[in-house]
Amino acid sequence: MSENPPNESWSGTELASYEAALEAIHGAMGAYSALIAHEEAKDAPDERVIAEATEGRRACVRRREALDPANATDIARVRAEFSALSETVRAARR
């Protein structure tokens, strides 16, 4: 940990927005994991579904790592995008 972590200078709103964006990404990762588990539990799993969900989960990790906590516009976009993605992935399981 650095001596002066960036969140020490953040406002409560900035911190909450960043945490919400991370939560949205993690929600999408969880939805992909659930989809993978659901597909793997089938008698005849669709390997394409599993591969696409695995890649989707990796993309979430890459996006989380690239998230710039100082970019409020990006944080808002990520929160909206990944919240919607979670719903889409969950719907694919039905």
Side-chain angles (χ1 to χ4, degrees), residues 9-48:
S9 64
W10 293 352
S11 71
T13 302
E14 290 170 323
L15 181 58
S17 294
Y18 180 69
E19 290 293 330
L22 289 177
E23 185 176 314
I25 293 171
H26 292 154
M29 291 171 67
Y32 278 124
S33 293
L35 177 59
I36 292 166
H38 177 76
E39 194 62 36
E40 288 177 338
K42 291 180 177 178
D43 290 336
D46 186 334
E47 294 302 321
R48 180 189 56 80

Side-chain angles (χ1 to χ4, degrees), residues 35-93:
L35 177 59
I36 292 166
H38 177 76
E39 194 62 36
E40 288 177 338
K42 291 180 177 178
D43 290 336
D46 186 334
E47 294 302 321
R48 180 189 56 80
V49 170
I50 294 169
E52 287 175 2
T54 300
E55 180 49 39
R57 193 170 53 192
R58 286 186 190 121
C60 290
V61 171
R62 289 190 299 272
R63 189 62 185 100
R64 181 185 64 200
E65 291 170 350
L67 186 61
D68 179 2
N71 185 334
T73 302
D74 189 40
I75 288 171
R77 182 177 29 252
V78 164
R79 182 177 179 189
E81 177 186 335
F82 282 85
S83 292
L85 177 61
S86 294
E87 292 304 316
T88 301
V89 173
R90 285 186 190 106
R93 232 180 53 195

